[in-house]
Amino acid sequence: GQNIDQPTEMTATEGAIVQINCTYQTSGFNGLFWYQQHAGEAPTFLSYNVLDGLEEKGRFSSFLSRSKGYSYLLLKELQMKDSASYLCAVSLRGNTDKLIFGTGTRLQVFP
Amino acid sequence: DGGITQSPKYLFRKEGQNVTLSCEQNLNHDAMYWYRQDPGQGLRLIYYSQIVNDFQKGDIAEGYSVSREKKESFPLTVTSAQKNPTAFYLCASSQGSWKETQYFGPGTRLLVL
């Protein structure tokens, strides 16, 4: 079967760095997405990793290791507005391509 | 501004009633999707459409129906056969393949009276 694991909740302090991990076991893999979702709102796109390595976009970076089935999202210089859920999603390649989502990690940033 | 709109923001359904959720996009995207989000669960795919006049069942299609008569529009009907409809419903669109980024609408929260 297809499986994605993320921690359910994390807390951090304003100005700090936090790393949100995502591990996956899937048959067929195109790439991995990270989305941010504030409570009651739509998910918004953060990053898409296809190849191994780190991709940086301002305060946010995303890392992928295809051989280990592992990704992380790194948030630097945390701000209160970063309090949200972070969704890991894997684009599958197979008889039927599809996108599957993890349950999300709820991050709370404290002053 | 290009984007995806969903209406209404909140919807109440009575027992035995069918209700329709609207989703419109002006991004000129070929593919559109409906997801359901429940607390503690990941987004689950209800239906998707990769081209006008064609759509496919997702993982939890029972009790739902869709149509795709126009590229811009992909309405979802929650029928009376869906016994647990209370959830947050998200519509998304993308250029086409599952490798493309999906962009989401603001969502509709459906509650049962």
Side-chain angles (χ1 to χ4, degrees), chain A residues 95-99, chain B residues 30-35 45-51 54-59 61 66-68 74 76 92 96 98 102:
Chain A
N95 290 334
T96 305
D97 288 5
K98 63 189 298 186
L99 186 67
Chain B
D30 287 318
M32 296 186 75
Y33 314 83
W34 274 106
Y35 291 92
L45 183 66
I46 305 172
Y47 268 98
Y48 66 99
S49 168
Q50 294 186 308
I51 197 167
D54 187 48
F55 51 82
Q56 307 294 330
K57 291 182 180 180
D59 299 318
V66 293
S67 63
R68 186 86 186 279
F74 192 41
L76 173 74
W98 291 97
Q102 293 185 16

Side-chain angles (χ1 to χ4, degrees), chain B residues 61-106:
Chain B
E62 186 174 350
Y64 300 98
S65 66
V66 293
S67 63
R68 186 86 186 279
E69 297 175 3
K70 298 187 299 181
K71 188 175 185 177
E72 301 80 17
S73 178
F74 192 41
L76 173 74
T77 297
V78 184
T79 74
S80 57
Q82 173 47 245
K83 297 307 178 189
N84 185 23
T86 298
F88 189 47
Y89 290 87
L90 288 160
C91 178
S93 71
S94 73
Q95 294 280 13
S97 79
W98 291 97
K99 294 181 280 190
E100 303 290 339
T101 301
Q102 293 185 16
Y103 296 92
F104 287 84

